[in-house]
Amino acid sequence: DSGVTQTPKHLITATGQRVTLRCSPRSGDLSVYWYQQSLDQGLQFLIQYYNGEERAKGNILERFSAQQFPDLHSELNLSSLELGDSALYFCASSVARRDTQYFGPGTRLTVL
Amino acid sequence: GENVEQHPSTLSVQEGDSAVIKCTYSDSASNYFPWYKQELGKRPQLIIDIRSNVGEKKDQRIAVTLNKTAKHFSLHITETQPEDSAVYFCAASLPGAGSYQLTFGKGTKLSVIP
């Protein structure tokens, strides 16, 4: 157990819908990262937050957004869902001064 | 941006043999190189990492080597066991102002045959 928690574990929804994925970092970690893992694209970095502020953006679609709250948990919002958004979504956290990232158990999103 | 190539994509070894997975990166400014092990349907789990000021690091049966000149790094697993079977990912991280995003290789599926 890495100490990073994610909810829900599984999510099944329809095209065009909107969902919210939640992540709680390890105690003391200020940085949260979101990754998407699909069979064809592998593990892709989406976005990073540090202490409530956006710090880096990767291959995140405009339909996706995220935020980090004062209690440091983070939410990833996915809207206008398409079949191709079906994937495993992981969050990871780290202590700001270090690079070591610890991954949560992931949320498996299925878009039908 | 950074680009990480990983080889081979699949690797089968006999139990007790060694396994080597290689990665190359494109940006010489990258300074942190972790390796993750992922079992089917589970989270990536950090197994070892190395920073650019170190050439080699070892942890029991696992070792990582880094060649900054050639921009490649390798994972070595000795005395492989069936429980080592998983997908292994290498990654590279560029330094930046508060940004430590990882660029991952495509993964290597390791199968250890009993």
Side-chain angles (χ1 to χ4, degrees), chain A residues 6-64:
Chain A
Q6 287 186 250
T7 56
K9 285 186 180 178
H10 304 278
L11 201 47
I12 301 174
T13 189
T15 54
Q17 295 298 305
R18 172 189 168 95
V19 296
T20 297
L21 313 183
R22 182 187 169 107
C23 168
S24 292
R26 297 184 319 156
S27 177
D29 285 359
L30 299 178
S31 266
V32 170
Y33 311 75
W34 286 98
Y35 292 88
Q36 179 192 57
Q37 185 175 36
S38 58
L39 280 174
D40 56 341
Q41 293 294 324
L43 265 166
Q44 298 247 317
F45 168 73
L46 296 178
I47 197 164
Q48 178 206 4
Y49 279 82
Y50 168 67
N51 204 20
E53 292 186 4
E54 181 185 305
R55 281 303 178 116
K57 255 185 177 177
N59 300 317
I60 187 166
L61 300 171
E62 285 191 12
R63 300 183 285 108
F64 296 0

Side-chain angles (χ1 to χ4, degrees), chain A residues 37 48 56 96 99 101 103-104, chain B residues 32 36 38 43 97-100:
Chain A
Q37 185 175 36
Q48 178 206 4
D99 300 331
Q101 294 180 29
F103 281 73
Chain B
Y32 174 66
Y36 287 85
Q38 187 178 29
R43 65 183 174 92
S99 170
Y100 301 121

